Amino acid sequence: MELRQKLILASGSPRRVDLLKQAGVEPARLMPMDLDETPQKSEHPRSLARRLSADKAKAAYEAIRQDVAWKDGYILAADTVVAVGRRILPKAEYLEEASSALHLLSGRSHWVFTGVCLIAPDGRLRQKIVETKVRFKRLSGYDIECYLASGQWRGKAGAYAIQGIAGTFVQKLVGSYTNVVGLPLFETVQMLAGEGYDVHTGWTEG
């Protein structure tokens, strides 16, 4: 890629990398930002996604700002939040957390919010919040037990990954599927193109 086409992804998520590659966009560098993702008091799920995506992009921008090799790079960050009403479900790290989240999601609708933040080479910041409504079927105790045994819930917001086994739980989805995976492709590519990134460059290389 040309220098102006260098894209820095402020994330270490393999899912986001795969989604970008699906769109023909390959990050030149991954820069996961280790930030405190604890929601602030009474913070709305949408606001949390907006704040964290911006914080990650700004942290990456500050980290490479003085590096001449990356001064013309684009910085892309995203954060996905799963919520039932205003209740934010954390990224499940423990079995008890995952079990509690799955019982809560069973047979009801929830929202997935992803904040996408792009910082262009000239320092301009653009941001978009994308939301998707997802309804799960009623999960039996055996469904939950077997899904927990799969381990696919670990580290996932809402304790599930829609691109895996949990895709069979989804009764209805309104909005962007890729948003639920972790990066809304349509909106992300539109933002990149709007800031002068040639999203077509990688289309003829594969």
Side-chain angles (χ1 to χ4, degrees), residues 183-194:
L183 189 70
L185 275 186
F186 171 76
E187 291 81 2
T188 300
V189 169
Q190 290 294 306
M191 285 175 67
L192 284 166

Side-chain angles (χ1 to χ4, degrees), residues 53-194:
S53 60
D55 286 352
K56 289 175 182 179
K58 290 172 185 175
Y61 180 74
E62 287 301 318
I64 60 96
R65 199 157 57 113
Q66 304 301 327
D67 190 334
V68 177
W70 296 96
K71 68 180 179 66
D72 291 322
Y74 291 78
I75 295 173
L76 180 69
D79 192 83
T80 301
V81 175
V82 174
V84 176
R86 290 182 63 96
R87 179 175 174 180
I88 296 168
L89 302 185
K91 291 177 181 174
E93 300 295 343
Y94 303 103
L95 203 63
E96 296 78 11
E97 284 180 323
S99 177
S100 175
L102 291 169
H103 277 94
L104 181 63
L105 296 175
S106 174
R108 69 195 304 175
S109 295
H110 62 275
W111 291 92
V112 180
F113 300 92
T114 299
V116 182
C117 187
L118 177 68
I119 299 181
D122 62 5
R124 280 186 301 164
L125 184 149
R126 289 190 61 190
Q127 199 166 19
K128 179 81 175 176
I129 307 298
V130 180
E131 58 187 61
T132 303
K133 189 177 184 180
V134 183
R135 182 175 180 83
F136 270 17
K137 71 171 188 174
R138 189 168 298 282
L139 303 176
S140 68
Y142 191 53
D143 285 333
I144 293 175
E145 179 185 339
C146 291
Y147 188 68
L148 292 174
S150 77
Q152 291 188 9
W153 52 270
R154 200 176 301 277
K156 306 296 192 304
Y160 76 93
I162 196 171
Q163 69 274 23
I165 295 166
T168 65
F169 301 162
V170 178
Q171 201 169 50
K172 187 176 181 180
L173 185 148
V174 181
S176 166
Y177 171 81
T178 55
N179 181 51
V180 185
V181 180
L183 189 70
L185 275 186
F186 171 76
E187 291 81 2
T188 300
V189 169
Q190 290 294 306
M191 285 175 67
L192 284 166

Side-chain angles (χ1 to χ4, degrees), residues 2-76:
E2 298 173 16
L3 183 62
R4 69 180 184 86
Q5 286 286 102
K6 285 189 176 178
L7 177 66
I8 299 161
L9 180 61
S11 171
S13 167
R15 295 170 300 285
R16 291 189 176 121
V17 173
D18 288 345
L19 285 168
L20 284 171
K21 287 182 178 179
Q22 178 185 325
V25 177
E26 186 160 0
R29 181 175 177 179
L30 302 183
M31 285 188 68
M33 295 290 107
D34 186 18
L35 303 179
D36 181 1
E37 299 188 8
T38 305
Q40 296 174 352
K41 187 176 180 180
S42 301
E43 189 168 27
H44 189 279
R46 170 191 284 271
S47 300
L48 176 64
R50 180 186 298 278
R51 176 172 64 84
L52 290 180
S53 60
D55 286 352
K56 289 175 182 179
K58 290 172 185 175
Y61 180 74
E62 287 301 318
I64 60 96
R65 199 157 57 113
Q66 304 301 327
D67 190 334
V68 177
W70 296 96
K71 68 180 179 66
D72 291 322
Y74 291 78
I75 295 173
L76 180 69

